[in-house]
Every structure is written in C-alpha cells, then in structure tokens.
Amino acid sequence: MTRRLALAAALMLMASAALAQINLPPGKWWRRAEVITFLNLSPEQQDRLENVFSNSANDLIDLRGEVEKQSIALRAALDRPALDREQVRAIAQRLNEARGRQFQRQLMMLVDMRGVLTDMQWNRMRAQLDRLAERQQEERREQKQQPLRPRPRMR
C-alpha cells in the first residue's frame, strides 16, 4: 500500500512537471489579435478553440474547487492540537486524487486544442512560449542576484 502511494505520488509529480512545461498563454489566447496574426488562426479555428475551452471550463472550475477544499481540509487537520495521522493520510490521498483529476482534465483540454492547430501553428507557438519561458527564468535569476533592500519601517 505504501509503495503504491509512493508510486502514485511520483507519477503525479512527473505528470505535473510535464503539464507545467506545456505552459500555454493565459486566458483566451486564441482571441488575441497578436496571437491570431502570429499563428495565422482562421475564424473557424478560433471558434473550435473557444468550444474546447467552453466544454472544459465548468469541469476545470469544479476540479480547482475540489483541490482547494481538500487543501483547506489538510491544513485544518495539520493544525489540530491532537494530530490524527490516519485522517491526515486520508485527506492527503483525496487531495492527491483531486489534483490527478484536475491534471487529467487540463491535459485533455490541451490535447483537444492541439488537435485544432496545424503542426506549423503548434511548433510556432511552442517556440514562442519557450523563448518567453527562457526570458522569465533569466529575469528571475537577475532578481535573485540583486541585493535585498531593507523595507521602510512603518510607524
């Protein structure tokens, strides 16, 4: 049982890392003029992407809510003076399962969106997102290298 939980946790971490690497632009990127032009999206593709998003939105909202509920329950269980190890384990398992369902739905939405794009459009978007991610990492590195300035004291 412990091995299965450890394996499930490892698989979830790997899956989460995989989805994080496929960082699509936030929001309804297929409606932005610069994206439409850059990818040469047809009106029909925009409508199909909108349909994929609409079909997924309610599920994703519900799944995000379930993950949040389980996170709150886990925090509450950990904050109790008398820690119930079995209760914490059960809540953690429910949280892990909720995250798994959320990841799976996000991934299927991505697969459906990918099916709307041509290979050339997908490759152009991936290349642009990779460049953006590299720039963001560089900015984070630069911020870490800057010395911290003391905060002004409040009176």
Side-chain angles (χ1 to χ4, degrees):
M1 178 77 168
T2 304
R3 283 180 85 175
R4 275 194 220 158
L5 284 175
L7 178 61
L11 288 173
M12 287 303 298
L13 283 174
M14 289 179 356
S16 295
L19 188 61
Q21 290 174 2
I22 306 173
N23 49 350
L24 288 174
K28 294 185 175 186
W29 51 269
W30 58 93
R31 294 291 185 204
R32 293 188 196 140
E34 66 274 10
V35 174
I36 293 168
T37 302
F38 181 72
L39 296 179
N40 195 26
L41 291 174
S42 71
E44 189 248 343
Q45 284 178 307
Q46 293 171 54
D47 291 342
R48 287 176 58 200
L49 289 164
E50 185 71 34
N51 287 337
V52 168
F53 177 79
S54 294
N55 291 336
S56 303
N58 286 337
D59 291 343
L60 290 172
I61 289 168
D62 291 344
L63 291 166
R64 191 175 310 123
E66 183 60 27
V67 167
E68 186 63 24
K69 284 179 192 175
Q70 296 303 325
S71 295
I72 291 169
L74 182 59
R75 275 184 249 133
L78 289 170
D79 287 344
R80 288 193 183 103
L83 194 62
D84 181 342
R85 186 178 185 87
E86 187 55 33
Q87 181 188 33
V88 169
R89 188 202 60 73
I91 295 169
Q93 184 172 355
R94 287 193 306 268
L95 174 59
N96 192 36
E97 290 168 358
R99 285 179 177 161
R101 288 188 301 274
Q102 182 183 30
F103 169 77
Q104 201 169 36
R105 188 64 184 104
Q106 289 170 334
L107 184 59
M108 290 301 98
M109 182 179 76
L110 173 66
V111 167
D112 292 342
M113 287 182 163
R114 170 62 183 98
V116 172
L117 302 175
T118 65
D119 289 343
M120 186 182 80
Q121 289 169 323
W122 177 254
N123 291 333
R124 285 194 80 182
M125 185 169 72
R126 290 293 318 135
Q128 184 69 14
L129 290 171
D130 289 346
R131 285 190 291 274
L132 178 63
E134 287 173 14
R135 255 186 266 132
Q136 288 173 341
Q137 285 178 347
E138 183 61 34
E139 288 172 5
R140 277 189 231 117
R141 275 192 292 261
E142 289 173 4
Q143 287 176 349
K144 286 181 182 179
Q145 291 174 355
Q146 293 176 357
L148 293 176
R149 285 181 252 144
R151 290 184 179 178
R153 291 188 182 199
M154 295 179 64
R155 295 181 187 229

